[in-house]
Amino acid sequence: MSPNGSDRSSRRPMRRKLPQVLTAGLILATATGCTYKDFPRLGMPTPVTEEAPRILSLWQGSWAAALATGVLVWGLILWSVIFHRRSRTKVEVPLQTRYNMPIEALYTVVPLIIVSVLFYFTARDESKLLKLEEKPAHTINVVGFQWSWGFNYVENVKGSNKEDAKTSKDLDAIPKRFRDAFPANAGGVYDVGTPGERNPQNGNPGPTLWLPKGEKVRFVLTSRDVIHSFWVVPFLMKQDVIPGHTNAFEVTPNKEGTFMGKCAELCGVDHSRMLFNVKVVSPERYQKHLEDLAKKNQTGYIPAGIEQTGHEKNRETNNL
């Protein structure tokens, strides 16, 4: 058999398989369960805070840039494959070009421009998302520990007559710059979970963190043991919970409901059980819940975690 005949016979099985490959690709693309309303979010859940659309916009912009880059790169590849393929009648090696300075400069400068643009928008949005107000409406100390979560509601709660949050020994792990923003005489209440606990309304595992709709909440994140990560899925952001280092961010919930939260940092053997719920309710119902915790004698605060290490104390002092 001639070489050309051999080439043609080897191509036939591939041509017969092409429709099967295209059909499989179409099934994979359409079997994700997403509706046309979900598609613009590109896999992200529906945002439930005033800050989350900024994150969603950054996510969509990154995808748009990636798709544009992909179309360009694959277009050039396919163009080269189609228009510069080896001729069936010519077997000689084509002209070899060793250097092309304009092209080499192009594929050096363009990636730098792409990375710079992505860096600019990421840094811009990060600075907005991590900006802290001087006096937030509510402050909740989220305590991560193996293998669940505790929530210190730093509030003036009716029925709580424990010591002030600003002087409480249980909150010594929280830096002074955060404690100065606590409300005066905030005796506070707490809630703490276990891995086997479930939300009584929906049966979801883990303790339930309550939040007021339409009011800004500051989360002060501390850990008792190892690094965890506080992730409320429809907030579209998460932040590490680090022993000896305090992180904080603020959100304003704008949709009532019960949402899923989890630890997003591999923290040990039972990491997968570090789940929790976030219940967003009206401000009146939120206050009623805090009073219910006080009636259960869950007043004061649980220990926030490991105190700051030396270099972190120095950093806090230098930032004041």
Side-chain angles (χ1 to χ4, degrees):
M1 183 180 289
S2 68
N4 290 338
S6 177
D7 289 345
R8 285 194 294 270
S9 63
S10 63
R11 291 193 194 103
R12 286 170 188 156
M14 295 183 64
R15 289 177 179 174
R16 285 196 293 265
K17 291 180 181 179
L18 183 59
Q20 301 174 8
V21 173
L22 294 176
T23 302
L26 181 62
I27 293 173
L28 289 174
T30 57
T32 59
C34 296
T35 67
Y36 72 95
K37 293 181 179 179
D38 298 324
F39 182 76
R41 296 197 305 273
L42 299 171
M44 284 286 195
T46 303
V48 298
T49 69
E50 292 182 3
E51 295 77 13
R54 178 180 291 274
I55 303 171
L56 180 60
S57 177
L58 181 64
W59 171 255
Q60 292 168 325
S62 300
W63 266 99
L67 287 173
T69 304
V71 168
L72 175 63
V73 171
W74 278 100
L76 292 174
I77 291 174
L78 293 175
W79 177 78
S80 300
V81 169
I82 294 171
F83 294 102
H84 293 277
R85 66 188 185 278
R86 194 185 75 174
S87 173
R88 294 180 180 177
T89 58
K90 297 179 181 180
V91 295
E92 68 272 10
V93 177
L95 178 65
Q96 303 297 297
T97 302
R98 293 182 177 273
Y99 303 104
N100 190 314
M101 290 305 296
I103 291 180
E104 291 183 12
L106 179 68
Y107 66 61
T108 301
V109 172
V110 169
L112 289 175
I113 294 174
I114 294 173
V115 171
S116 298
V117 171
L118 291 174
F119 177 82
Y120 166 76
F121 286 108
T122 301
R124 182 200 65 179
D125 291 345
E126 183 181 15
S127 64
K128 291 285 188 180
L129 292 167
L130 297 182
K131 184 179 179 181
L132 302 178
E133 292 189 354
E134 186 175 347
K135 293 288 184 180
H138 305 277
T139 300
I140 299 175
N141 171 216
V142 177
V143 183
F145 59 91
Q146 297 171 315
W147 310 99
S148 193
W149 301 88
F151 309 113
N152 285 323
Y153 297 90
V154 186
E155 303 261 0
N156 290 304
V157 181
K158 183 180 178 181
S160 176
N161 55 3
K162 296 294 183 178
E163 61 181 321
D164 186 4
K166 293 185 178 182
T167 59
S168 173
K169 296 295 183 183
D170 289 325
L171 302 182
D172 277 347
I174 299 175
K176 183 178 182 298
R177 64 189 179 101
F178 293 125
R179 299 180 75 169
D180 287 344
F182 290 169
N185 302 316
V189 292
Y190 71 88
D191 198 4
V192 63
T194 61
E197 185 177 347
R198 290 187 175 272
N199 183 290
Q201 280 78 37
N202 55 22
N204 288 343
T208 300
L209 169 65
W210 288 57
L211 300 176
K213 178 184 176 183
E215 298 183 356
K216 189 171 289 292
V217 179
R218 174 180 295 179
F219 296 108
V220 179
L221 311 177
T222 56
S223 171
R224 291 185 187 174
D225 35 53
V226 299
I227 298 177
H228 304 283
S229 186
F230 180 70
W231 181 25
V232 183
V233 178
F235 283 9
L236 307 191
M237 70 174 293
K238 58 181 180 287
Q239 199 166 49
D240 282 348
V241 185
I242 304 173
H245 171 84
T246 303
N247 281 328
F249 70 96
E250 297 175 354
V251 298
T252 305
N254 58 9
K255 182 179 180 180
E256 292 190 15
T258 302
F259 310 103
M260 181 183 297
K262 59 181 70 177
C263 176
E265 183 79 25
L266 182 59
C267 56
V269 65
D270 280 335
H271 157 73
S272 62
R273 302 181 69 192
M274 283 198 64
L275 306 174
F276 62 96
N277 303 281
V278 174
K279 189 176 184 67
V280 180
V281 297
S282 66
E284 296 77 18
R285 194 176 175 194
Y286 172 74
Q287 291 298 330
K288 177 65 168 55
H289 173 68
L290 299 189
E291 293 174 9
D292 290 341
L293 292 177
K295 291 177 182 177
K296 295 177 184 178
N297 292 323
Q298 293 176 220
T299 56
Y301 305 102
I302 59 172
I306 296 174
E307 292 190 24
Q308 284 190 309
T309 54
H311 72 281
E312 278 300 308
K313 290 182 179 179
N314 292 336
R315 186 179 68 88
E316 292 289 345
T317 302
N318 293 334
N319 286 341
L320 293 177

